[in-house]
Amino acid sequence: MKYNQIGQSDIQVSEIGFGCMSLGIDERNNKFIIDQALEYGINFFDTADLYEKGLNEEQVGKILKDKRSDCILATKVGNQWRADGSGWDWNPRKEYIMKAVESSLKRLGTDYIDLYQLHGGTLEDPIDEVIEAFSTLTDQGKIRQYGISSIRPEVIKKYVERSAIVSVMMQFSLLDRRPEESMMKLLEENEIPILARGGIAQGLLVNKPAKEYLNYTVKDVEVAAKAVNFVAGTKRSPSQTALLYVLKKPPVASAIVGIRTIEQLNDVAKIASAPELTAAEYAFLSESVKPKLYEKFR
């Protein structure tokens, strides 16, 4: 497994990250999968306080407790569950962040979080207040570094300009190349890596029946999936091909994959031994569908 540095920090993450959101609630099964991921060399595990109302953090923390020094643990904050459990509200206030981190630390069973991420963001947020909260937590040693998980270009720009974020988690795949519009250049210039999620586009690039996706038609999706399968050939799996496409684009440091089954893990984790995309293969994939631009969520 290859590892990449997160910005100017001392954090090194595996090129395949384990997206814990896709895990079920069967702790025994989850432990089996996570233990095997560690054996493959995957060291980056991403969760959030929002997932399963905190149960995801709790289980992941418990499973990784004895391997804490061997893994990079990331979680997120900003979505506050309502008291009646009916849903959540966006809350980026400093007061809430400072309380939420204590709950996450307790559920994760650790005294520090490697990467704490704002789970969204809008231009109406009290950005200076958010930055102050994360800076305070860094100074206190409760988090090592902080970043943002967002697809909004204008919001990301604000944090690049005003904060010390070390990463941006955003959606990126052959079927979602919106970050190429401006974000990738901006982040690369500022040495802020991307943690790319959605690399197989909900399975549409691999084995799911074609459907409309973002601004792409069913036909567009079919063409993209055929291109991935063609390039995969007998050299690598379609999943590996789709993820290698993501990883080939700077400044992507890790492709975060939602893993639910051991079969999915076995497939994507073996990317380390799969041949890299050639320049011709990369160009062929890129030309199979035209990139779209952000039309909303600016």
Side-chain angles (χ1 to χ4, degrees), residues 9 57 74:
S9 75
E57 280 186 329

Side-chain angles (χ1 to χ4, degrees), residues 151 153 171-184 212-221 224 245 286 288-296 298:
I151 62 171
Q171 190 165 293
F172 179 63
S173 72
L174 179 60
L175 282 172
D176 189 355
R177 290 160 62 193
R178 292 174 297 177
E180 292 180 355
E181 178 187 351
S182 61
M183 286 297 93
M184 287 186 153
E212 291 184 357
Y213 183 75
L214 299 176
N215 293 327
Y216 288 107
T217 65
V218 173
K219 181 63 176 178
D220 290 333
V221 173
Y245 179 84
S286 296
S288 67
V289 288
K290 293 182 179 180
K292 304 287 187 178
L293 303 180
Y294 284 104
E295 293 183 358
K296 52 184 179 179
R298 301 298 303 187

